[in-house]
């Protein structure tokens, strides 16, 4: 995987830790809570492959960068809501009751549940959406309380994705948007899309997905609307059902743009977004810094400074997608 550059990520992990941090690591085993809106555990109790490779491993690598190793000097208590937002408050309360020293919250609903559950335990958010607008932090530069983290949010990102679809397929006129109503930041992105669509000569069809059971209904509606292309927001629900979404797009020969490279690696046509695995590594790094004595109030919420356009040319050839050469020319990566 190519190196990703994140804003403000210049601290060397090879620097010597303070004596206080070393003393902490030689003492008792520390306990971390991990709250995820999505699903990471299979029915047999094993970690789901996607979660293990793209989230768990990266998070633990980030912890290790700061001297903390699961099973040696730190334990991680994990709770997953499997896409059911109403389960998050109870799961967050459960982790708080375990007296965890840091609480990690993956995705917006988890971050909001964690913030309501505690105003004292440090919280590290992963991709929380607009943390300022949601009242999770006072500002990105100076969070000011017990919450910090890493976000993929960037101005005009949704508009850029819509423009890339039009550039890759100039003749499209009807674009469907799959969005999860349980994720508040989707509303901000939808507002951007509504403003940009007329300027691109596009008509939008907004397909609200209400949990995993509603995904098949949304895809069926997308097909009935005869959309020329579609875009799916990169939230946990879409990640967890990416094979179904990709299969639908390819089988019906509908060009689709996704928000993360993991969709393209799984056979999707195109993606434009930041490096999600890197976000989880940075989150682990932040947890390690807090365990080493730093305050979340003084750790700025990090935003990505680089976004990549990735095209799966193998998928394009297999399913007859005729992508405009201009788009291919400035793609950051082409999978052949």
């Amino acid at each position: 995987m190519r190196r990703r550059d994140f804003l403000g990520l210049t601290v060397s992990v090879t620097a010597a830790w303070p004596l206080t941090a070393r003393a902490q690591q030689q003492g008792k085993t520390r306990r971390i809570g991990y709250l995820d809106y999505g699903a990471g555990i299979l029915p047999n109790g094993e970690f789901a492959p996607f979660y293990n490779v793209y989230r768990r491993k990266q998070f633990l690598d980030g912890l290790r960068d700061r001297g903390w190793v699961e099973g040696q000097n730190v334990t991680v208590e994990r709770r997953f809501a499997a896409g059911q937002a109403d389960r998050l408050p109870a799961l967050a309360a459960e982790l708080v009751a375990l007296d965890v020293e840091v609480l990690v919250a993956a995705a917006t609903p988890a971050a909001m549940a964690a913030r309501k559950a505690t105003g004292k335990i440090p919280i590290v958010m992963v991709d929380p959406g607009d943390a300022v607008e949601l009242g999770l932090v006072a500002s990105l530069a100076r969070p000011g309380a017990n919450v910090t983290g890493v976000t993929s949010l960037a101005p005009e990102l949704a508009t850029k994705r819509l423009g890339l679809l039009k550039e890759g397929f100039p003749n499209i006129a009807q674009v469907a948007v799959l969005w999860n109503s349980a994720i508040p930041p989707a509303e901000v992105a939808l507002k951007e899309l509504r403003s940009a669509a007329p300027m691109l000569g596009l008509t939008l069809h907004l397909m609200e997905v209400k949990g995993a059971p509603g995904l098949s209904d949304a895809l069926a509606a997308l097909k009935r609307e005869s959309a020329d292309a579609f875009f799916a927001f990169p939230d946990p629900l879409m990640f967890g059902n990416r094979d179904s979404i990709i299969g639908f797009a390819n089988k019906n020969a509908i060009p689709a743009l996704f928000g993360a490279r993991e969709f393209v690696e799984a056979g999707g046509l195109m993606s434009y977004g930041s490096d999600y695995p890197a976000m989880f590594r940075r989150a682990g790094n932040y947890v390690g810094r807090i365990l080493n004595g730093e305050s979340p109030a003084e750790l700025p919420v990090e935003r990505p400074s680089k976004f990549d356009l990735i095209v799966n040319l193998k998928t394009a050839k297999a399913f007859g997608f005729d992508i405009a050469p201009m788009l291919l020319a400035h793609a950051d990566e082409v999978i052949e």
Side-chain angles (χ1 to χ4, degrees):
M1 182 177 289
R2 299 177 300 119
R3 181 179 178 181
R4 298 297 195 276
D5 298 319
F6 273 74
L7 191 62
L9 308 187
T10 58
V11 178
S12 171
V13 298
T14 59
W17 296 307
L19 292 177
T20 54
R22 296 178 187 174
Q24 287 173 338
Q25 294 172 48
Q26 294 170 0
K28 67 176 184 178
T29 299
R30 315 291 286 276
R31 178 180 288 180
I32 300 167
Y34 178 93
L35 180 64
D36 200 312
Y37 169 61
I41 301 292
L42 298 173
N44 60 9
E46 295 181 358
F47 289 116
F50 172 79
Y51 166 77
N52 194 48
V53 173
Y54 293 110
R55 296 192 174 193
R56 177 175 175 269
K57 180 182 182 301
Q58 297 295 329
F59 175 74
L60 294 179
D61 285 347
L63 271 176
R64 190 177 292 107
D65 289 343
R66 291 288 168 176
W68 299 97
V69 181
E70 185 179 22
Q72 293 185 16
N73 55 8
V74 70
T75 60
V76 183
E77 297 286 349
R78 297 176 174 86
R79 300 293 185 273
F80 301 93
Q84 300 176 48
D86 58 346
R87 294 182 57 196
L88 288 167
L91 294 175
E94 189 176 320
L95 290 171
V96 169
L98 291 174
D99 291 326
V100 296
E101 295 186 55
V102 184
L103 181 55
V104 181
T108 307
M112 296 174 69
R115 184 66 182 87
K116 290 179 181 179
T118 178
K120 296 181 179 180
I121 298 173
I123 297 171
V124 175
M125 310 174 293
V126 191
D127 202 21
D130 192 335
V132 177
E133 179 69 22
L134 294 170
L136 294 168
V137 296
S139 73
L140 297 183
R142 298 189 65 83
N146 65 317
V147 183
T148 186
V150 187
T151 180
S152 67
L153 189 68
E156 301 179 355
L157 185 56
T159 300
K160 176 67 174 179
R161 286 166 171 159
L162 193 62
L164 288 171
L165 262 177
K166 182 67 174 180
E167 182 179 348
F169 299 91
N171 295 326
I172 63 174
Q174 310 285 327
V175 176
V177 180
L178 290 179
W179 68 288
N180 180 3
S181 56
I183 305 293
E187 296 284 358
V188 178
L190 291 176
K191 183 178 180 180
E192 292 180 12
L193 291 174
R194 290 189 186 100
S195 298
M199 294 184 289
L200 294 169
L202 297 173
T203 299
L204 294 182
H205 299 278
L206 305 180
M207 306 296 179
E208 180 181 0
V209 180
K210 296 182 178 180
L215 180 59
S216 58
D217 293 337
L219 292 176
L222 190 158
K223 189 174 182 179
R224 288 196 303 272
E225 295 289 347
S226 299
D228 301 316
F230 78 87
F231 165 67
F233 286 116
D235 64 57
L237 177 62
M238 303 302 175
F239 270 110
N241 292 276
R242 65 193 179 285
D243 290 339
S244 298
I245 299 171
I246 291 167
F248 171 86
N250 292 344
K251 179 182 178 180
N252 292 282
I254 303 175
L257 177 70
F258 301 98
R261 68 172 296 127
E262 290 75 32
F263 288 84
V264 179
E265 291 176 344
L269 181 62
M270 301 187 300
S271 71
Y272 182 74
S274 57
D275 189 336
Y276 275 79
M279 279 196 293
F280 279 86
R281 183 163 190 150
R282 290 304 305 165
N285 195 278
Y286 259 26
V287 171
R289 291 175 66 177
I290 292 170
L291 291 176
N292 287 342
E294 295 189 57
S295 169
E298 298 176 359
L299 292 175
V301 176
E302 295 181 353
R303 292 193 299 176
S305 60
K306 189 175 187 297
F307 299 89
D308 289 325
L309 171 62
I310 304 172
V311 179
N312 191 326
L313 199 57
K314 182 178 179 180
T315 294
K317 293 177 179 177
F319 295 96
F321 294 114
D322 187 15
I323 303 175
M326 185 176 295
L327 183 75
L328 291 173
H330 67 245
D332 296 284
E333 184 177 343
V334 176
I335 298 175
E336 300 186 77

